[in-house]
Amino acid sequence: MNDKNISIPGFSLIFAVVLIGFSLKSCISSRDLSIKEWEKRQWQLIKVDKNDEPTWKVHKRELVGTNLMEYKIEGDIKSSPRESISAFKRDIRNQANDLKNKKYPVYEIVDESKDSLLTYVIHKEPFPFKNTEMSVRYYFVHDSESNFEEVRWKETWEESSVPPPSKKLSRVQIFRGSWRFLPILNNQSRAVNIVQFNPKKMPQWLVTPMVTKFLRKGLDYIRETTSK
């Protein structure tokens, strides 16, 4: 009499094949997920100047282990690194000296030394949003060997000069970034501006155009002021 039942060894073999199939599928899914996560954390080109010879490029990426997004713009400037960093410092002082500043009702240089500068700023926001306040420390770096200039900034709420929290204002908890100016030919610079922030629940289709516009305006300002 033929036994039509599957033997235990036969069943084990079939089970093993099915298990291997699921394992391979799981490994491939995990690998694909890991690749996607890795790709999100690499610089992605999102916008480029439409000229035949692009004058700027914008990239973005996620910062590993944080909720922060990072954007950067790169472009050449027809001025030396020293002239470029001077234009950046001059803009801060101009904002602080503008007593009728509509964009920044309050813009104070709280503390200043040779290599750093502390500002307290209130930014006017459209109705119905609260005005925002920022306490930012800027650090200036000069590399004598490669002759590049850099400024980095970060939120600084632990300073004793910072006023206590106000219900009328919304604090910008994270405000970080940098400008780096690297020397290239003919007394010109390669400029790189990076900003970091937490977009929270704002969608990327809204965040990316806003940040791109902000970065382009910053690069255009340095170009314009150093060309005068």
Side-chain angles (χ1 to χ4, degrees), residues 3-188:
D3 187 359
K4 295 183 179 180
N5 293 328
I6 299 175
S7 65
I8 292 177
F11 176 79
S12 299
L13 179 60
I14 293 172
F15 178 76
V17 170
V18 173
L19 183 61
I20 290 171
F22 276 114
S23 297
L24 287 174
K25 184 177 180 181
S26 177
C27 289
I28 291 171
S29 299
S30 299
R31 184 190 66 185
D32 290 345
L33 183 61
S34 297
I35 290 174
K36 289 180 181 179
E37 288 297 315
W38 178 83
E39 288 176 343
K40 285 196 301 183
R41 285 161 172 74
Q42 305 307 305
W43 284 116
Q44 304 169 36
L45 179 64
I46 57 172
K47 194 79 173 178
V48 63
D49 188 1
K50 294 181 179 179
N51 292 332
D52 292 336
E53 295 185 6
T55 60
W56 54 264
K57 294 180 180 179
V58 177
H59 296 74
K60 74 171 183 177
R61 67 177 177 183
E62 294 182 7
L63 289 180
V64 179
T66 72
N67 294 323
L68 302 182
M69 289 294 299
E70 191 170 43
Y71 286 75
K72 75 172 177 178
I73 188 169
E74 297 177 89
D76 293 349
I77 295 177
K78 295 180 179 178
S79 62
S80 68
R82 184 168 295 241
E83 291 170 333
S84 301
I85 203 73
S86 295
F88 179 87
K89 291 179 179 179
R90 189 162 54 249
D91 180 50
I92 292 178
R93 293 192 175 92
N94 289 342
Q95 296 282 4
N97 293 330
D98 185 0
L99 300 179
K100 297 181 180 181
N101 197 327
K102 295 181 180 180
K103 185 177 180 182
Y104 300 105
V106 175
Y107 201 116
E108 298 177 356
I109 297 177
V110 180
D111 180 59
E112 186 174 5
S113 66
K114 179 182 177 182
D115 300 321
S116 72
L117 190 150
L118 175 64
T119 62
Y120 175 74
V121 177
I122 294 178
H123 186 278
K124 188 173 181 61
E125 305 294 349
F127 181 83
F129 301 104
K130 293 181 180 180
N131 287 350
T132 52
E133 63 173 346
M134 297 178 287
S135 177
V136 182
R137 171 74 70 174
Y138 297 88
Y139 301 92
F140 297 93
V141 178
H142 168 70
D143 188 293
S144 56
E145 292 185 5
S146 57
N147 203 31
F148 76 75
E149 300 281 349
E150 182 180 36
V151 55
R152 298 189 298 268
W153 57 87
K154 182 180 179 184
E155 73 285 347
T156 311
W157 291 111
E158 66 275 9
E159 297 279 351
S160 59
S161 56
V162 175
S166 169
K167 292 183 179 180
K168 296 181 179 180
L169 299 171
S170 176
R171 283 196 166 181
V172 178
Q173 296 295 340
I174 297 177
F175 186 73
R176 302 171 187 175
S178 66
W179 269 107
R180 175 174 281 201
F181 303 101
L182 303 139
I184 54 178
L185 298 175
N186 302 323
N187 202 38
Q188 298 184 43

